[in-house]
Amino acid sequence: MDVNKQTITKCVIPAAGLGTRLRPATKIQPKEMLPVGRKPTIQYVVEEAIAAGLKSILIITGRTKRAIADHFDLDFVTGKPIEGELDYEKLGVRFFFVRQAQQMGLADAVSHAEAFVGGEPFVVCLGDTIIGEPEPATLLKRLVDTHVRRGASATVAAERVRPQDVSKYGILKPLSRVGDEFQLADLIEKPAPEHAPSRLAIASRYAFNATIFDAIRAVKANPPGKGGEYQLTDAMRELLSNGDGMWAVRLAANEKRYDIGNYESYYKAFVELSLQDPEFGDSVRRHLKALLAGNRGR
Ligand code: G1P
């Protein structure tokens, strides 16, 4: 069967990272459970996957991450979803959990999804990143569409970042002209600014064919990459070296990535998304304006 003609129904959410940059808040709780407005970060990610039609969801957890599985249970007392939650059962959503026993990097985390994926193409959404967009999951839907239509082995979301930030991301080298979607010639994990092939960063959302698991095995046969970890970017590079087609889809002007991995970006995400709260957003906006104008606010 041609894998690229299959619809994608499976979503893998890596949530095993230790969150050391968010200590002490993450000393014993998952960073993915930190609230942004009313919901924990990972609930946004799950809702995005569901909005894109991905109803089999595997969350890769690890040490200190048990609260994540609890969160997607029904209410303990009523046995029903609570206000502010989707009715997962009614929507036909199924959750699966697997633990990464040791911190060995994103490629290793994703390798734990192999049995779940069962040879089908799948999506990866990093559990510590929210995509802000006017309509739910438009980015993810475009990503899946490009992946299937182009017959790609891997497709990533791409965002232009500041030159001083390229060393924080996987950076893309376009093969073709950079439009809304473009083909990749190469990619490199967290390059020094002088070695960055562009300012286009991998933006926390991926689509893969199951061939990524062989590529991860090949990467793990060698010493670890950047930061002493097995990098997903290196596994993608391995696919490229086999001559596979790889594509990127750019975030549109009205789409935004909120990464909660450090306090600066977490604070910004919280402030910005709480301004969208239907009940208190306006009041918080007035408060911030007053504070910034030098008044004490109330
Ligand atoms: C990971 C990936 C990197 C990507 C980033 C944001 O890095 O390794 O390629 O650009 O997520 O999606 P991390 O933020 O886990 O260090």
Side-chain angles (χ1 to χ4, degrees), residues 58-103:
L58 174 73
I59 303 181
I60 299 167
T61 69
R63 208 177 137 80
T64 77
K65 302 283 184 167
R66 274 172 294 191
I68 295 177
D70 291 347
H71 183 74
F72 292 102
D73 278 347
L74 293 167
D75 180 65
F76 188 66
V77 177
T78 62
K80 296 200 168 101
I82 60 168
E83 198 187 329
E85 269 182 352
L86 296 174
D87 189 337
Y88 303 120
E89 218 168 278
K90 205 163 156 190
L91 291 168
V93 177
R94 294 192 64 201
F95 290 99
F96 302 83
F97 299 90
V98 63
R99 281 171 72 98
Q100 184 190 28
Q102 206 190 343
Q103 282 285 311

Side-chain angles (χ1 to χ4, degrees), residues 21 106 126 169-170 189-190 202-204 206 231 233 257:
R21 284 172 295 170
L106 189 55
L126 302 190
Y169 297 99
E189 182 67 10
K190 302 192 173 84
I202 300 173
S204 316
Y206 309 75
Q231 297 293 347
T233 305
R257 191 181 55 89

Side-chain angles (χ1 to χ4, degrees), residues 37-38 267-292 296-298:
R38 297 189 181 212
Y267 290 152
K268 287 180 180 170
F270 197 105
V271 169
E272 216 174 309
L273 291 180
S274 54
L275 292 177
Q276 294 171 16
D277 189 279
E279 195 176 353
F280 300 118
D282 287 343
S283 147
V284 173
R285 181 173 287 104
R286 283 195 298 277
H287 180 74
L288 289 176
K289 274 188 182 158
L291 280 180
L292 295 174
R296 284 180 53 226
R298 282 203 302 146

